[in-house]
Short mmCIF file of all heavy atoms in Angstrom, two decimals:
data_model
loop_
_atom_site.label_atom_id
_atom_site.label_comp_id
_atom_site.label_asym_id
_atom_site.label_seq_id
_atom_site.Cartn_x
_atom_site.Cartn_y
_atom_site.Cartn_z
N ARG A 364 -0.58 9.85 -12.24
CA ARG A 364 -0.89 9.16 -13.49
C ARG A 364 -1.80 7.92 -13.31
O ARG A 364 -1.92 7.47 -12.18
CB ARG A 364 0.35 8.75 -14.17
CG ARG A 364 1.35 9.94 -14.44
CD ARG A 364 2.73 9.44 -14.93
NE ARG A 364 3.66 10.57 -15.03
CZ ARG A 364 4.40 11.03 -14.03
NH1 ARG A 364 4.32 10.37 -12.85
NH2 ARG A 364 5.18 11.96 -14.18
N PRO A 365 -2.46 7.46 -14.37
CA PRO A 365 -3.31 6.28 -14.17
C PRO A 365 -2.62 5.02 -13.58
O PRO A 365 -3.28 4.19 -12.99
CB PRO A 365 -3.82 5.99 -15.65
CG PRO A 365 -3.73 7.34 -16.30
CD PRO A 365 -2.48 8.00 -15.74
N ASP A 366 -1.34 4.89 -13.75
CA ASP A 366 -0.65 3.77 -13.11
C ASP A 366 -0.24 3.94 -11.66
O ASP A 366 0.37 3.08 -11.15
CB ASP A 366 0.58 3.47 -13.99
CG ASP A 366 1.67 4.55 -13.95
OD1 ASP A 366 1.48 5.57 -13.27
OD2 ASP A 366 2.76 4.32 -14.66
N GLY A 367 -0.63 5.09 -11.15
CA GLY A 367 -0.29 5.33 -9.70
C GLY A 367 0.93 6.10 -9.43
O GLY A 367 1.22 6.52 -8.34
N SER A 368 1.77 6.23 -10.46
CA SER A 368 3.07 7.06 -10.30
C SER A 368 2.69 8.47 -10.16
O SER A 368 1.61 8.94 -10.71
CB SER A 368 4.00 6.71 -11.41
OG SER A 368 3.40 7.16 -12.62
N TYR A 369 3.52 9.25 -9.60
CA TYR A 369 3.25 10.64 -9.32
C TYR A 369 4.44 11.50 -9.24
O TYR A 369 5.57 11.08 -8.91
CB TYR A 369 2.38 10.86 -8.10
CG TYR A 369 2.96 10.46 -6.75
CD1 TYR A 369 3.77 11.51 -6.08
CD2 TYR A 369 2.74 9.26 -6.22
CE1 TYR A 369 4.36 11.05 -4.91
CE2 TYR A 369 3.33 8.87 -5.04
CZ TYR A 369 4.15 9.83 -4.35
OH TYR A 369 4.71 9.44 -3.13
N ASN A 370 4.27 12.84 -9.38
CA ASN A 370 5.31 13.81 -9.14
C ASN A 370 4.66 14.89 -8.26
O ASN A 370 3.38 15.01 -8.24
CB ASN A 370 5.81 14.46 -10.39
CG ASN A 370 6.55 13.50 -11.26
OD1 ASN A 370 6.02 12.94 -12.19
ND2 ASN A 370 7.87 13.24 -10.99
N THR A 371 5.36 15.78 -7.67
CA THR A 371 4.77 16.83 -6.83
C THR A 371 5.55 18.08 -7.04
O THR A 371 6.71 18.16 -7.50
CB THR A 371 4.92 16.50 -5.29
OG1 THR A 371 6.31 16.39 -4.97
CG2 THR A 371 4.16 15.14 -5.03
N TYR A 372 4.85 19.19 -6.90
CA TYR A 372 5.37 20.48 -6.87
C TYR A 372 4.83 21.37 -5.67
O TYR A 372 3.60 21.37 -5.44
CB TYR A 372 5.01 21.27 -8.15
CG TYR A 372 5.31 22.75 -8.01
CD1 TYR A 372 6.61 23.29 -8.15
CD2 TYR A 372 4.21 23.66 -7.85
CE1 TYR A 372 6.81 24.69 -8.01
CE2 TYR A 372 4.51 24.97 -7.73
CZ TYR A 372 5.81 25.53 -7.86
OH TYR A 372 6.00 26.79 -7.65
N ASP A 373 5.79 21.87 -4.87
CA ASP A 373 5.34 22.57 -3.71
C ASP A 373 5.32 24.06 -4.02
O ASP A 373 6.34 24.58 -4.56
CB ASP A 373 6.32 22.41 -2.51
CG ASP A 373 6.24 20.96 -1.93
OD1 ASP A 373 5.23 20.38 -2.07
OD2 ASP A 373 7.29 20.39 -1.50
N LYS A 374 4.24 24.72 -3.85
CA LYS A 374 4.04 26.13 -4.12
C LYS A 374 5.18 27.02 -3.61
O LYS A 374 5.55 26.92 -2.36
CB LYS A 374 2.75 26.60 -3.49
CG LYS A 374 2.36 28.08 -3.85
CD LYS A 374 0.96 28.43 -3.19
CE LYS A 374 0.50 29.80 -3.52
NZ LYS A 374 -0.81 30.11 -2.91
N ARG A 375 5.87 27.68 -4.56
CA ARG A 375 7.02 28.49 -4.13
C ARG A 375 6.64 29.88 -3.48
O ARG A 375 7.28 30.11 -2.51
CB ARG A 375 7.82 28.71 -5.45
CG ARG A 375 8.95 29.68 -5.31
CD ARG A 375 10.08 29.18 -4.37
NE ARG A 375 11.16 30.20 -4.31
CZ ARG A 375 12.20 30.00 -3.57
NH1 ARG A 375 12.33 28.90 -2.90
NH2 ARG A 375 13.13 30.83 -3.46
N HIS A 376 5.69 30.48 -4.13
CA HIS A 376 5.39 31.88 -3.62
C HIS A 376 4.08 31.73 -2.72
O HIS A 376 3.00 31.48 -3.21
CB HIS A 376 5.18 32.85 -4.76
CG HIS A 376 6.44 33.04 -5.59
ND1 HIS A 376 6.76 32.22 -6.67
CD2 HIS A 376 7.48 33.82 -5.34
CE1 HIS A 376 7.94 32.61 -7.05
NE2 HIS A 376 8.47 33.61 -6.37
N LEU A 377 4.22 31.98 -1.46
CA LEU A 377 3.28 31.83 -0.44
C LEU A 377 2.49 33.19 -0.29
O LEU A 377 3.22 34.15 -0.19
CB LEU A 377 3.67 31.30 0.87
CG LEU A 377 4.44 29.91 0.71
CD1 LEU A 377 4.99 29.44 1.96
CD2 LEU A 377 3.48 28.86 0.13
N PHE A 378 1.18 33.27 -0.21
CA PHE A 378 0.40 34.47 -0.29
C PHE A 378 0.43 35.20 1.04
O PHE A 378 -0.34 34.80 1.94
CB PHE A 378 -0.99 34.11 -0.67
CG PHE A 378 -1.84 35.34 -1.04
CD1 PHE A 378 -1.39 36.32 -1.88
CD2 PHE A 378 -3.17 35.44 -0.41
CE1 PHE A 378 -2.16 37.43 -2.16
CE2 PHE A 378 -3.96 36.52 -0.72
CZ PHE A 378 -3.45 37.49 -1.56
N SER A 379 1.33 36.14 1.16
CA SER A 379 1.47 36.88 2.54
C SER A 379 0.27 37.63 2.93
O SER A 379 0.10 37.85 4.14
CB SER A 379 2.78 37.77 2.42
OG SER A 379 2.66 38.67 1.31
N MET A 380 -0.53 38.09 1.94
CA MET A 380 -1.79 38.80 2.34
C MET A 380 -2.75 38.00 3.14
O MET A 380 -3.58 38.46 3.93
CB MET A 380 -2.46 39.31 1.09
CG MET A 380 -1.64 40.50 0.53
SD MET A 380 -2.42 41.09 -1.10
CE MET A 380 -4.04 41.71 -0.46
N ALA A 381 -2.60 36.68 3.04
CA ALA A 381 -3.43 35.76 3.88
C ALA A 381 -2.65 35.04 4.95
O ALA A 381 -3.15 34.18 5.66
CB ALA A 381 -4.05 34.67 2.92
N GLY A 382 -1.32 35.33 5.03
CA GLY A 382 -0.49 34.78 6.12
C GLY A 382 -0.15 33.32 5.78
O GLY A 382 0.30 32.56 6.66
N GLU A 383 -0.12 32.97 4.44
CA GLU A 383 0.16 31.55 4.07
C GLU A 383 1.67 31.32 4.48
O GLU A 383 1.96 30.19 4.81
CB GLU A 383 0.04 31.43 2.52
CG GLU A 383 0.13 30.05 2.11
CD GLU A 383 -0.15 29.86 0.59
OE1 GLU A 383 -0.21 30.93 -0.15
OE2 GLU A 383 -0.27 28.69 0.07
N GLU A 384 2.59 32.26 4.34
CA GLU A 384 3.93 32.02 4.60
C GLU A 384 4.25 31.77 6.05
O GLU A 384 5.33 31.24 6.48
CB GLU A 384 4.84 33.17 4.12
CG GLU A 384 4.96 34.33 5.07
CD GLU A 384 3.65 35.17 5.33
OE1 GLU A 384 2.67 34.95 4.67
OE2 GLU A 384 3.67 36.12 6.10
N LYS A 385 3.30 32.02 6.98
CA LYS A 385 3.40 31.79 8.45
C LYS A 385 3.13 30.38 8.74
O LYS A 385 3.58 29.88 9.87
CB LYS A 385 2.44 32.80 9.20
CG LYS A 385 2.82 34.21 9.06
CD LYS A 385 1.82 35.09 9.74
CE LYS A 385 2.16 36.56 9.50
NZ LYS A 385 1.11 37.50 10.14
N VAL A 386 2.36 29.62 7.98
CA VAL A 386 1.98 28.23 8.29
C VAL A 386 2.43 27.22 7.33
O VAL A 386 2.36 26.02 7.63
CB VAL A 386 0.47 28.22 8.60
CG1 VAL A 386 0.03 28.94 9.79
CG2 VAL A 386 -0.28 28.81 7.35
#
Side-chain angles (χ1 to χ4, degrees):
R364 303 174 186 85
D366 65 3
S368 63
Y369 64 85
N370 295 96
T371 63
Y372 165 74
D373 295 329
K374 185 178 182 181
R375 171 68 181 178
H376 297 92
L377 303 175
F378 189 51
S379 57
M380 288 176 64
E383 190 178 11
E384 84 289 356
K385 296 176 182 177
V386 290

